[in-house]
Amino acid sequence: MKKILLIITLLIIKPIYADELLIATTLSTEATAYIIEQWQKINPNITIQTLNRTSSSIERLAESPFGDSIDLIISSSPILFSHLKDNDKLSLISAVPKESEHYTPSILQNYVAAFALSGYGILSNKNYLEQHHQTIPKTWQDLTRHDYFGMISISSPARSDTTHIMIESILQEFGWEKGWQILMEIGGNIGTISSRSFGVVDKINSDLSIIGITIDSYANVNHNDKLVFNYFPNNTPIPTFIAILNQSQHSESAQKFIKFLLSPEGQLIVANPNTGKYPIILGIKESNEYVKYANFMKTEHINYETLLERQELVKQLFDVAITFRLEQLKESWGLLYSIEKKTGKSLDNVRELLTKMPINEMDSLNYHVDKQSSYLSKNVQEDNIKWRNFFQNQHQKAIELLENISQ
Amino acid sequence: MRINKEIGSCLQWSFRFCALLICLIGIVCIYSWNKQNQQIHYALEDYIPKIQSSTRLDENLNILFNEFNQFAKSDNIQSRLLLKERILLRLKKLNQLSEQLPAERQLPFKNNINKIEMLLAELEDNLSAYHIVLNQLSETQTYIYWLHDDFNQEVSSLIQDISLQQSYLLDQLKNNSRDQQDVYKTFNRIHEELNFIANLTLTENKVIKILEQMTDKTNLSNLDNNIHYLTYLNQSNREQLSDLTNSMVTLRQIIQELFNIGLSDHQLPIILEQYNDAMNNLNHLTEKKDDVLNTIKETLEQQLDNDHGQLIQVSNKVRSASNMSMLIIMITIVIVILFILILNQLYIRPKIISRLTILNRSVIELSQGNLNAKISIDGEDELGRIARLLRQSIDHIKKQTQQLEAEIIDRILIEKHLRETQDDLIQEAKMAVVGKTITTLAHEINQPLNALSIYLYTAATAIKQLNTEESNQAIEQSQKLLIRIKNIITQLRVFSKRSNSDEPLKPVDLVQVINQAWGIIALNKTTHLTLTIPEQLETVLGNDIRYEQVFVNIFTNSIDACENKQAKITIDKMVTDKELFLYIHDNGVGWPLSEVERLLTPFTSHKAIGLGIGLSLSQSIMQQSHGELYIASTMNNNALIVLKFLKYNSL
């Protein structure tokens, strides 16, 4: 009887004394756990619950009646936020500091605040590579070396927004043609493609893969002695954004939480290694680690307009060119490497055939996506078949050329 | 048949016969070897190379078979290229090997290899077509997998959402913060949604299963059934899901995409059709390839059989030839052995060996001096002739022996006579000396006789005067003189005593002999003489009287040689184991060198008196006593006589 009384009392008291914030996030539980823990220490009255979902799930939840209970959204995906903003789901955030604004896409300005940064790079099984007398890759170009044939693991950009940002950043860094060339050459070395970004880290941890392309938060959180993580040079930082859903019934607490995150003390918590992220305000952290990575933070952030513009194209193109054709890539690149090794020269014409893209940069920027009526928009579906035939042809031509060379 | 009678020609004929048979064996052997050689030659130069190249061809063909099978089954370009390269190499090798075949076999083989090459090209085209389809198929499979993955993720996140919504609604119910009716309505909707999800998942699973069946390379037979079923599912799905809530859109879209893959003309159906075509083509080509390869193998096997047959033929020929040869050789050997046995038994043993043995025995007897040995004569051949000649020779020898025996008897008689003559001569020589001495002797005896008469007169006077002393003295003196006379006469008698050469040899004291001889010499020599002899001389063999004669002769010669001076004769000795040498030299004139040869010839002397037989007699005396006499000169040209005696103890 006493127990029941206690529960009833708690249930009644809770709404009076405590405010509960529900954060829907695309990040893993570990990534937010430390921040929430620290917040809880300072604000025991405002408890925080997290809902870890994919961006499409969060988008869907926001539309559903349950959407009312979600207060905050934390994600690195500008696409998710732009969809939410397009559907009028976000409320304005007040007093966003300049540093945060700097990393926020212009269309999301005032609706979204960037509060942490992530880098991305290459997670390698150092032990394995050393045992096999191979150097540890550090750049995108390093990954194209045939030494790493079948060793690389990446996730599909269609399924992981962070991967999409990484791919888009190569395309922006090296340009559409050169970027795809690098990606296609890396494609020849890819052993597995996972459907979630942390799947990459899992595979390397469990020795299923040797080299993984991933964001640092996963790499840092899953720290392991035999593994080594290297940031790509000229790394464009991936900001983590936070936004308040306009249906939120605790918007005040939510605003308070954002304010806390962007405050120096909040940034210090963000800077803690346990978060696996970097603070957005420079100079907030004096540690060696911070200085070490401060450089890449200074670089220009990604062009979000371009990213959003051709997101569908890039995702589909990557899947058609690499994800679905993984077996073909292994075959053609394996053959190319063996013949190059035999003849001792680089077969540039074959490489050109294997890395050519059906769409040029200009077209990619003007690529129009119809309103989605099926799983893939109609024109994308048609183009899918066109692209498939294109790659099939290129592959066939390359194989023929290689056969001729080998004889 | 004169031939048969001669042993030599008989043996010759036998040898010729044997040689002929051996030649026959040789010829048969050579013939047989030649045949074998031909076989070996055929085997080595023709058969084995053929077999070798055939087996190598066969091996390579087998490998080609395997490689072709692997090639036809290769599902990756790298192994396909590798195998193609290997097959081309293999074909090249086969071509090379086929060139070792005889010209008439090369052509069909090369034709077949050309066919294989064409087939290889065709097969490769087909394989790459097959490969393209395979790639498309695997791409589609991957796409299906990803769609399935997307669907599952979508479903799981939907279910999470729904459970979240349910708990939220429950909260609202508890809090009474919403109209209950409204809440139940929402619950209903959520329930419907869950149902939809379950239905969709069921449908998706069915579609995936069908698509999996469709893309299963090992089981493509019921493609039509699958498409049919899929079409049916698609229709019912459309009806079922025509009205959908917003949250279900993605799931439905994914299912629609899956249907699309399975049913759309330019997706799975066409790929599978192409796949079937490629597979059929490939099977067809594989069969064709098997046919060609089997044809080659059959040809090869046939060739091998032919070669083997040929070898067996040659082998049979050689076997019969060598059997025949063996038979001939055996018969010939038997004939030779029989012939030799018969020859031995009937001819060599009775006609040669036994007769030779008899003849041999006779010859041995002959050699032992039995001239009366029996020599049998039989046959007209060489042995008979030898025996006959032998008997003739023996007869001849017998006659000669008889003659010789007669002659020997004559000789013995002559010798005896001669010896007697010699003894006479010695006596003669003695008597010459005695004669020479006789005057001296008369004087020698006369003197004592005169003295004797004086003594006898004295003695008579003394007796008369009764003077006994004087008479005794005179008688004594007379007695002495009488002894002296007696001695002289005895000496002469001994010397002149005739010695006989037939007397046996006995020990002689040379010192006594020399003194006696010297006594005789000194008797009739007025001049003063000196003789020096060794104090002792070994006893020698011989006859003292005859030796005395020798010394007398030698001393006489020496004294004669020293006509006007005192003669000095020295005797030295030398002793060996069996012999004693005496060197007798004087101080006389010696002998002229020209006479040395003649000195020992009888009747040679350079003295006024003498028969000149002294030295030659002395020599023959010495020789009769197994001694010798040599004449020589001293350094002063004095005469030197060397006497050799046999020592008594040497016997």
Side-chain angles (χ1 to χ4, degrees):
Chain A
M1 195 63 209
K2 232 180 175 182
K3 253 185 190 170
I4 298 168
L5 203 77
L6 187 72
I7 294 168
I8 293 168
T9 326
L10 277 173
L11 279 171
I12 297 164
I13 290 167
K14 203 179 140 194
I16 304 165
Y17 290 103
D19 214 354
E20 192 186 83
L21 284 175
L22 183 60
I23 304 177
T25 174
T26 56
L27 305 182
S28 63
T29 338
E30 297 95 325
T32 50
Y34 182 75
I35 297 171
I36 292 165
E37 195 188 313
Q38 294 305 313
W39 162 264
Q40 220 77 90
K41 277 183 190 167
I42 302 163
N43 300 294
N45 286 338
I46 307 173
T47 58
I48 293 178
Q49 297 287 326
T50 57
L51 193 62
N52 302 88
R53 287 289 187 279
T54 59
S55 40
S56 62
S57 175
I58 291 172
E59 210 180 317
R60 200 170 45 233
L61 282 173
E63 297 286 338
S64 74
F66 177 71
D68 296 351
S69 62
I70 298 169
D71 303 298
L72 287 157
I73 291 174
I74 295 179
S75 174
S76 299
S77 170
I79 300 155
L80 169 65
F81 289 111
S82 77
H83 283 172
L84 289 173
K85 192 204 158 206
D86 287 350
N87 290 333
D88 258 347
K89 291 282 176 191
L90 301 180
S91 57
L92 284 164
I93 299 167
S94 55
V96 176
K98 263 208 173 112
E99 290 91 340
S100 177
E101 273 180 2
H102 172 72
Y103 289 106
T104 313
S106 52
I107 50 160
L108 297 176
Q109 218 63 259
N110 296 324
Y111 288 98
V112 152
F115 71 94
L117 292 176
S118 290
Y120 50 92
I122 306 166
L123 183 68
S124 310
N125 186 331
K126 187 175 65 181
N127 287 10
Y128 179 91
L129 289 174
E130 275 169 5
Q131 271 167 31
H132 291 75
H133 308 290
Q134 282 177 9
T135 51
I136 292 160
K138 285 177 179 155
T139 66
W140 287 108
Q141 280 96 336
D142 280 352
L143 292 171
T144 64
R145 290 218 311 266
H146 63 79
D147 295 340
Y148 308 124
F149 182 69
M151 288 185 192
I152 298 172
S153 178
I154 193 170
S155 55
S156 157
R159 289 152 193 89
S160 151
D161 284 337
T162 45
T163 308
H164 175 224
I165 297 167
M166 281 188 250
I167 301 295
E168 181 59 40
S169 74
I170 305 175
L171 296 177
Q172 289 189 15
E173 185 187 338
F174 295 97
W176 177 266
E177 308 276 335
K178 178 74 181 163
W180 273 112
Q181 192 195 321
I182 292 170
L183 281 171
M184 291 300 275
E185 288 195 32
I186 293 170
N189 288 335
I190 289 175
T192 50
I193 294 178
S194 64
S195 54
R196 307 293 290 270
S197 13
F198 40 84
V200 171
V201 182
D202 288 346
K203 277 187 176 124
I204 292 164
N205 265 323
S206 56
D207 287 339
L208 289 171
S209 195
I210 311 301
I211 297 162
I213 302 166
T214 177
I215 61 164
D216 58 357
S217 35
Y218 297 129
N220 289 344
V221 166
N222 295 280
H223 193 67
N224 185 331
D225 272 349
K226 67 178 180 181
L227 305 180
V228 63
F229 182 82
N230 284 298
Y231 286 97
F232 286 115
N234 301 320
N235 208 314
T236 49
I238 299 177
T240 308
F241 306 108
I242 188 162
I244 304 169
L245 279 185
N246 55 11
Q247 311 119 300
S248 170
Q249 283 144 29
H250 314 98
S251 59
E252 232 173 274
S253 298
Q255 289 280 6
K256 199 177 170 190
F257 181 65
I258 291 174
K259 208 172 178 185
F260 166 74
L261 279 181
L262 294 172
S263 72
E265 52 182 334
Q267 285 291 294
L268 251 170
I269 291 164
V270 168
N272 189 286
N274 285 325
T275 65
K277 293 197 185 296
Y278 294 97
I280 211 149
I281 298 160
L282 282 171
I284 206 77
K285 194 181 180 191
E286 309 297 332
S287 80
N288 288 337
E289 224 174 321
Y290 176 73
V291 174
K292 195 171 157 193
Y293 303 118
N295 281 337
F296 86 84
M297 302 298 180
K298 290 177 197 157
T299 53
E300 276 306 304
H301 63 79
I302 197 163
N303 182 337
Y304 288 105
E305 283 68 34
T306 310
L307 178 136
L308 292 169
E309 199 126 318
R310 63 190 183 192
Q311 49 156 315
E312 195 67 20
L313 172 66
V314 169
K315 286 175 182 176
Q316 288 306 314
L317 210 48
F318 187 91
D319 271 356
V320 173
I322 296 170
T323 314
F324 302 150
R325 288 178 64 242
L326 209 52
E327 291 307 310
Q328 277 180 55
L329 290 178
K330 279 181 193 170
E331 185 181 80
S332 52
W333 286 94
L335 189 65
L336 172 76
Y337 290 153
S338 78
I339 289 169
E340 278 186 343
K341 202 177 167 189
K342 211 173 4 177
T343 55
K345 48 189 173 186
S346 173
L347 300 169
D348 292 336
N349 50 348
V350 182
R351 281 169 180 269
E352 205 184 307
L353 276 173
L354 290 176
T355 56
K356 197 158 167 55
M357 277 288 133
I359 284 178
N360 62 29
E361 181 146 33
M362 203 59 161
D363 290 344
S364 81
L365 292 171
N366 298 324
Y367 192 78
H368 174 69
V369 181
D370 289 348
K371 180 87 183 104
Q372 270 188 326
S373 58
S374 61
Y375 184 57
L376 297 173
S377 39
K378 200 160 183 253
N379 65 331
V380 174
Q381 209 169 38
E382 281 163 11
D383 285 341
N384 235 324
I385 294 166
K386 252 196 270 171
W387 298 336
R388 252 152 78 177
N389 288 336
F390 172 84
F391 287 122
Q392 190 76 54
N393 272 333
Q394 295 291 102
H395 174 79
Q396 210 50 45
K397 277 186 209 162
I399 294 291
E400 272 168 31
L401 216 60
L402 287 171
E403 281 184 44
N404 288 335
I405 293 165
S406 81
Q407 274 160 28
Chain B
M1 289 295 279
R2 231 194 108 240
I3 296 161
N4 281 346
K5 287 180 182 172
E6 294 284 330
I7 294 172
S9 57
C10 218
L11 289 176
Q12 229 170 13
W13 278 109
S14 317
F15 278 126
R16 274 179 206 160
F17 180 62
C18 288
L20 201 72
L21 291 180
I22 288 166
C23 281
L24 184 67
I25 293 175
I27 289 164
V28 171
C29 282
I30 288 168
Y31 171 76
S32 163
W33 289 338
N34 195 34
K35 277 280 164 197
Q36 284 173 7
N37 196 26
Q38 275 176 5
Q39 189 195 9
I40 291 168
H41 190 264
Y42 170 74
L44 280 182
E45 304 283 313
D46 208 32
Y47 181 68
I48 291 177
K50 264 190 204 166
I51 292 287
Q52 263 182 345
S53 51
S54 295
T55 25
R56 271 156 82 191
L57 275 174
D58 197 44
E59 276 169 17
N60 278 296
L61 273 174
N62 281 336
I63 300 171
L64 184 73
F65 236 92
N66 279 333
E67 284 170 347
F68 240 108
N69 285 338
Q70 283 177 21
F71 179 71
K73 282 176 196 154
S74 67
D75 53 0
N76 108 21
I77 295 172
Q78 237 169 320
S79 73
R80 197 177 82 203
L81 280 179
L82 199 75
L83 281 164
K84 189 190 165 189
E85 211 171 312
R86 266 198 233 157
I87 289 171
L88 284 175
L89 272 175
R90 187 73 50 201
L91 286 172
K92 211 169 158 189
K93 197 165 180 192
L94 278 169
N95 249 330
Q96 280 171 356
L97 282 172
S98 73
E99 272 160 25
Q100 291 169 12
L101 288 174
E104 76 273 9
R105 290 183 184 179
Q106 277 183 29
L107 197 65
F109 201 84
K110 283 203 168 157
N111 282 343
N112 278 324
I113 287 184
N114 282 340
K115 269 191 209 164
I116 295 176
E117 274 169 356
M118 274 151 63
L119 267 174
L120 179 71
E122 224 178 311
L123 197 60
E124 208 201 348
D125 287 347
N126 259 287
L127 270 175
S128 61
Y130 170 70
H131 223 95
I132 294 170
V133 183
L134 220 55
N135 271 336
Q136 286 172 347
L137 199 61
S138 92
E139 203 180 325
T140 310
Q141 277 174 320
T142 319
Y143 186 39
I144 292 169
Y145 162 77
W146 278 107
L147 282 174
H148 184 52
D149 191 66
D150 288 349
F151 186 89
N152 283 342
Q153 276 192 29
E154 192 64 30
V155 167
S156 61
S157 72
L158 270 176
I159 289 170
Q160 274 182 330
D161 292 356
I162 286 171
S163 77
L164 204 72
Q165 285 182 41
Q166 281 175 337
S167 65
Y168 170 69
L169 283 174
L170 279 174
D171 272 358
Q172 280 187 332
L173 263 184
K174 276 180 207 150
N175 300 343
N176 285 325
S177 58
R178 241 170 98 173
D179 174 26
Q180 271 201 1
Q181 209 61 27
D182 196 26
V183 171
Y184 286 130
K185 231 168 101 188
T186 318
F187 258 126
N188 253 340
R189 195 180 50 79
I190 288 172
H191 183 69
E192 254 173 57
E193 258 180 39
L194 261 178
N195 256 339
F196 269 129
I197 290 169
N199 276 335
L200 280 175
T201 311
L202 215 67
T203 314
E204 197 260 1
N205 279 340
K206 277 182 197 163
V207 176
I208 289 287
K209 203 161 275 173
I210 293 169
L211 288 176
E212 268 173 6
Q213 271 180 25
M214 281 169 89
T215 52
D216 180 10
K217 273 178 274 177
T218 55
N219 184 17
L220 290 169
S221 51
N222 45 3
L223 175 65
D224 288 343
N225 282 349
N226 283 330
I227 289 180
H228 199 72
Y229 184 41
L230 208 61
T231 319
Y232 162 75
L233 273 180
N234 190 23
Q235 274 169 5
S236 59
N237 181 47
R238 263 170 217 266
E239 287 161 16
Q240 200 181 29
L241 307 174
S242 53
D243 179 40
L244 271 179
T245 47
N246 210 15
S247 59
M248 298 293 132
V249 167
T250 313
L251 289 185
R252 215 198 65 171
Q253 281 170 350
I254 290 174
I255 291 176
Q256 202 50 56
E257 183 63 20
L258 286 171
F259 276 123
N260 210 14
I261 292 169
L263 295 171
S264 167
D265 280 344
H266 42 254
Q267 299 236 27
L268 251 190
I270 194 160
I271 292 172
L272 288 173
E273 203 178 308
Q274 282 169 353
Y275 179 82
N276 263 339
D277 285 352
M279 274 302 274
N280 285 340
N281 269 336
L282 213 58
N283 286 339
H284 177 63
L285 278 173
T286 313
E287 274 168 29
K288 227 161 124 187
K289 169 216 75 179
D290 284 350
D291 280 352
V292 175
L293 284 174
N294 280 332
T295 317
I296 299 181
K297 279 206 88 165
E298 272 166 25
T299 326
L300 206 63
E301 268 161 26
Q302 211 179 339
Q303 286 174 358
L304 272 173
D305 284 350
N306 279 348
D307 290 340
H308 193 63
Q310 233 171 323
L311 183 75
I312 287 172
Q313 229 174 333
V314 174
S315 177
N316 282 340
K317 269 191 208 165
V318 170
R319 194 176 301 138
S320 65
S322 54
N323 280 347
M324 195 64 199
S325 309
M326 223 145 72
L327 192 69
I328 293 173
I329 290 169
M330 291 287 267
I331 289 170
T332 316
I333 289 170
V334 168
I335 289 173
V336 170
I337 290 170
L338 275 179
F339 175 75
I340 288 169
L341 278 176
I342 291 166
L343 189 75
N344 188 41
Q345 209 63 31
L346 296 185
Y347 185 76
I348 294 176
R349 227 191 266 174
K351 293 253 169 154
I352 302 175
I353 296 176
S354 61
R355 282 165 65 204
L356 269 175
T357 317
I358 294 166
L359 199 61
N360 190 39
R361 213 177 292 140
S362 308
V363 172
I364 290 168
E365 274 184 57
L366 281 176
S367 73
Q368 286 168 349
N370 183 4
L371 283 175
N372 293 327
K374 192 196 160 201
I375 292 165
S376 60
I377 296 168
D378 53 353
E380 285 296 311
D381 51 23
E382 291 92 328
L383 276 176
R385 263 177 277 157
I386 289 168
R388 197 169 296 124
L389 286 172
L390 197 62
R391 193 182 282 183
Q392 280 174 12
S393 306
I394 289 167
D395 287 349
H396 197 66
I397 288 166
K398 271 184 186 165
K399 267 182 213 160
Q400 279 183 340
T401 315
Q402 277 168 2
Q403 276 178 1
L404 268 173
E405 275 171 355
E407 234 171 87
I408 286 164
I409 293 165
D410 279 357
R411 292 247 173 137
I412 292 166
L413 283 173
I414 289 166
E415 205 191 332
K416 201 178 175 191
H417 189 66
L418 206 64
R419 217 169 271 201
E420 280 165 0
T421 317
Q422 204 180 20
D423 287 347
D424 287 346
L425 270 173
I426 291 166
Q427 196 58 32
E428 212 70 25
K430 277 182 188 172
M431 288 336 244
V433 176
V434 171
K436 240 170 138 184
T437 320
I438 213 80
T439 346
T440 329
L441 192 68
H443 172 70
E444 282 288 317
I445 297 168
N446 202 31
Q447 227 181 1
L449 281 174
N450 287 335
L452 191 60
S453 63
I454 293 164
Y455 283 126
L456 281 170
Y457 176 73
T458 317
T461 319
I463 292 163
K464 277 167 190 171
Q465 291 164 357
L466 294 167
N467 188 351
T468 51
E469 197 187 343
E470 203 167 316
S471 67
N472 281 349
Q473 261 187 354
I475 287 163
E476 255 178 65
Q477 284 301 321
S478 299
Q479 273 176 329
K480 277 182 189 171
L481 282 169
L482 278 171
I483 289 167
R484 192 182 162 199
I485 291 165
K486 193 189 164 214
N487 274 349
I488 290 167
I489 289 167
T490 313
Q491 267 187 344
L492 267 175
R493 256 183 63 201
V494 168
F495 181 67
S496 51
K497 207 164 98 186
R498 190 186 171 93
S499 69
N500 199 341
S501 58
D502 293 341
E503 271 177 57
L505 300 175
K506 53 193 180 185
V508 174
D509 181 7
L510 274 179
V511 178
Q512 202 186 338
V513 171
I514 290 167
N515 284 333
Q516 292 227 357
W518 187 251
I520 293 167
I521 296 300
L523 209 61
N524 61 352
K525 287 301 171 201
T526 50
T527 47
H528 192 70
L529 300 173
T530 348
L531 174 68
T532 321
I533 62 165
E535 277 174 21
Q536 250 190 330
L537 281 172
E538 280 74 5
T539 315
V540 295
L541 266 181
N543 183 310
D544 47 356
I545 298 168
R546 291 171 81 88
Y547 279 156
E548 201 178 315
Q549 170 79 40
V550 173
F551 282 106
V552 167
N553 278 340
I554 290 166
F555 292 156
T556 313
N557 284 342
S558 288
I559 292 158
D560 289 348
C562 311
E563 284 162 358
N564 303 320
K565 41 183 173 179
Q566 283 191 339
K568 278 183 194 165
I569 296 170
T570 315
I571 297 177
D572 297 321
K573 73 161 180 180
M574 190 186 84
V575 188
T576 66
D577 279 353
K578 292 180 175 178
E579 289 149 347
L580 171 69
F581 291 89
L582 293 181
Y583 301 87
I584 307 162
H585 54 95
D586 55 28
N587 57 341
V589 292
W591 23 60
L593 274 169
S594 55
E595 305 243 336
V596 170
E597 294 285 315
R598 298 202 308 133
L599 280 171
L600 291 166
T601 324
F603 310 110
T604 306
S605 174
H606 54 279
K607 286 186 286 189
I609 310 154
L611 286 169
I613 56 167
L615 273 176
S616 76
L617 269 175
S618 304
Q619 192 183 29
S620 68
I621 289 167
M622 291 306 290
Q623 280 167 350
Q624 278 164 23
S625 312
H626 306 300
E628 192 55 82
L629 179 148
Y630 309 100
I631 50 179
S633 276
T634 66
M635 302 293 275
N636 303 324
N637 285 334
N638 302 316
L640 171 67
I641 299 286
V642 179
L643 294 179
K644 186 178 94 179
F645 300 94
L646 266 187
K647 278 160 72 175
Y648 169 66
N649 56 5
S650 73
L651 276 178

